[in-house]
Amino acid sequence: MFEHLQPLPQDPILSMFAGYTADTHPHKLDLGIGVYKDEQGCTPIMRAVKEAESRLLTTEQSKSYTAPAGSAVYNQLASALVFGPDHPALRDQRIVSAQTPGGCGALRMAAEFIHGCSQESRVWVSMPTWANHIPLLAGAGLEIAEYPYYDYTTKGIQFEAMLQALEQASAGDFILLHGCCHNPSGADLNQEQWLAVADLMTCKGLIPFVDMAYQGLGNGLDQDAFGVRLLAERFPEMLVATSCSKNFGLYRERTGTLFIVANCSADAQTAGSQLFSKIRSHYSMPPAHGAAIVETILSDTGLTTSWECELASMRERIQGLRQQLVAAIEASGIDGDFTFIQHQSGMFSFLGITPKQVEQLRQDYSIYMINSSRMNIAGLNQGSMDYFVSALAEVLSAR
Ligand code: LMR
């Protein structure tokens, strides 16, 4: 049977990362995969995470099974982080949540849940969107439609085109929106735009589905959750997938959450029973360690403060790198306006160079970014900035 199988291409982000890892160039630079890096080029374990792990080592009593929804305490703390502790939807018990294996687990279980609601369900995703969104959602049998989002010419959101496309959506369609730090473009909706999207979706009977994988890495924990919180107030039903990979640095611990917001508490319970049954038949229950770390941090005021401070310094470092990069490009004499980079948010921006130029950066300088020219700004540091900008100048001058 297996001899008939055809090899499949690797995911572009993961294959790029594998190429970088194998590269032996002394100045190799990873601006590909979306992980935070510090000034030394390391992806650190956050201080609060280390402390929580050390506490868990002594306090953890058992490794027995939990439940398909994971830890109830984690779910409650994660809900308060995402929606804010006093959100009306939480107060009215309209939200049911499940700890999931990372943001991918949350997205896939959201897709399975949607497919269980109706096999005809359609999800609209932004053009472009994160490379794994379509595989995760279509893999569950959902129909995918696309709405225009990033304009490669103006380097901003094509908001009118986005609204016009969403006008074509049918009642009951799900609209996948990036809560903050749009991946891959870094171009986020502003508050006015969130309100306009919410108005249109209300008129058309569309259902919000928000992926928020970078809360706290854009403008702040509360600021980044503006869209999610707004939609959860205004819509009777919605889905939210979140991740602790980036804001807690728990990447390989696979820690995320799926929230289902329902019309009333009874509907939330029923939706939860459907979701937990799906989880049971997919992976039974989520891994515990990452969620136990988050739970330990968020239940302790001192650890929460330490985590928030370190997260703020990561965010400020990325914002600083954005400004330094624009200044260094300007100082190098490279032609063109790159100021859009400092107005975007989170780890990513499209540099706006061609796939051939991306390839040249990789081949000649061991600088890795995605072929679309999505670069992870957080992969730069003081030591690599000049190397990167001179390589870019060389590659662009060969146009
Ligand atoms: C990314 O976009 O690079 C990250 O979210 C990592 C991944 O799994 O793709």
Side-chain angles (χ1 to χ4, degrees):
M1 170 89 84
F2 299 165
E3 70 272 18
H4 303 302
L5 294 176
Q6 296 298 316
L8 286 177
Q10 246 196 315
D11 170 273
I13 297 174
L14 298 184
S15 64
M16 168 100 359
F17 186 54
Y20 167 80
T21 308
D23 192 327
T24 53
H25 190 291
H27 299 304
K28 68 178 181 175
L29 193 51
D30 174 20
L31 307 177
I33 195 159
V35 296
Y36 176 80
K37 293 190 186 181
D38 63 16
E39 209 28 54
Q40 285 66 47
C42 301
T43 301
I45 301 179
M46 295 177 84
R47 288 187 295 276
V49 168
K50 265 284 179 213
E51 174 58 25
E53 283 188 304
S54 121
R55 289 188 195 175
L56 282 168
L57 205 57
T58 51
T59 56
E60 198 176 37
Q61 296 293 328
S62 173
K63 300 234 182 248
S64 179
Y65 292 122
T66 54
S71 156
V73 178
Y74 166 88
N75 282 322
Q76 195 194 344
L77 293 163
S79 307
L81 183 64
V82 169
F83 295 94
D86 306 317
H87 196 283
L90 279 177
R91 194 189 51 222
D92 299 340
Q93 301 183 324
R94 291 203 293 121
I95 304 180
V96 64
S97 41
Q99 171 200 328
T100 54
C104 286
L107 288 162
R108 182 51 179 250
M109 293 323 298
E112 296 291 345
F113 173 79
I114 293 172
H115 193 253
C117 294
S118 160
Q119 297 196 0
E120 261 69 76
S121 295
R122 183 158 62 158
V123 179
W124 292 69
V125 302
S126 65
M127 256 189 317
T129 196
W130 176 45
N132 207 19
H133 270 151
I134 294 177
L136 279 166
L137 303 176
L142 299 179
E143 183 188 335
I144 307 293
E146 294 179 315
Y147 59 86
Y149 186 80
Y150 185 72
D151 184 333
Y152 295 89
T153 310
T154 63
K155 323 279 190 209
I157 299 173
Q158 13 182 356
F159 193 60
E160 285 312 314
M162 173 182 175
L163 293 185
Q164 275 168 23
L166 293 182
E167 282 283 357
Q168 308 311 311
S170 310
D173 282 358
F174 287 78
I175 312 300
L176 184 68
L177 298 158
H178 297 223
C180 61
C181 308
H182 184 266
N183 180 2
S185 73
D188 282 341
L189 296 174
N190 62 31
Q191 295 196 356
E192 208 180 306
Q193 290 170 327
W194 275 109
L195 287 160
V197 170
D199 285 344
L200 184 147
M201 288 175 57
T202 306
C203 282
K204 301 275 313 172
L206 309 178
I207 307 175
F209 176 7
V210 180
D211 180 9
M212 185 161 66
Y214 293 84
Q215 186 184 5
L217 285 160
N219 294 308
L221 283 165
D222 291 326
Q223 293 88 330
D224 291 348
F226 174 84
V228 166
R229 294 175 186 180
L230 169 82
L231 298 175
E233 269 193 52
R234 296 212 9 201
F235 284 78
E237 294 176 343
M238 84 185 264
L239 296 174
V240 183
T242 65
S243 167
C244 300
S245 293
K246 328 283 171 167
N247 56 6
F248 285 87
L250 287 174
Y251 309 90
R252 66 177 67 164
E253 300 297 354
R254 311 310 302 138
T255 310
T257 321
L258 172 61
F259 303 94
I260 301 177
V261 183
N263 197 23
C264 62
S265 172
D267 285 1
Q269 293 310 312
T270 307
S273 74
Q274 293 275 340
L275 173 66
F276 304 147
S277 159
K278 295 266 178 223
I279 291 174
R280 175 68 172 151
S281 65
H282 278 75
Y283 53 84
S284 188
M285 56 192 70
H289 186 64
I293 293 169
V294 172
E295 190 176 314
T296 306
I297 294 172
L298 295 181
S299 352
D300 180 289
T301 319
L303 288 183
T304 300
T305 307
S306 158
W307 168 67
E308 286 181 359
C309 287
E310 194 168 353
L311 180 61
S313 68
M314 288 159 62
R315 172 173 67 241
E316 283 157 18
R317 183 168 171 281
I318 299 175
Q319 288 164 348
L321 284 168
R322 286 183 172 280
Q323 289 175 5
Q324 288 163 38
L325 176 59
V326 173
I329 291 177
E330 274 171 8
S332 74
I334 289 176
D335 209 17
D337 180 3
F338 288 81
T339 49
F340 64 90
I341 291 175
Q342 70 197 31
H343 305 307
Q344 296 173 342
S345 275
M347 291 190 188
F348 308 116
S349 281
F350 284 119
L351 199 50
I353 62 175
T354 65
K356 194 160 160 249
Q357 289 163 337
V358 170
E359 176 62 19
Q360 206 180 332
L361 280 175
R362 187 157 58 233
Q363 272 185 358
D364 298 353
Y365 302 92
S366 290
I367 295 173
Y368 288 75
M369 65 178 71
I370 311 301
N371 284 343
S372 60
S373 89
R374 185 198 81 166
M375 68 174 285
N376 175 14
I377 309 281
L380 288 169
N381 56 46
Q382 305 306 321
S384 61
M385 188 69 80
D386 286 349
Y387 177 67
F388 172 68
V389 174
S390 350
L392 181 64
E394 287 292 328
V395 165
L396 292 181
S397 69
R399 272 196 254 216

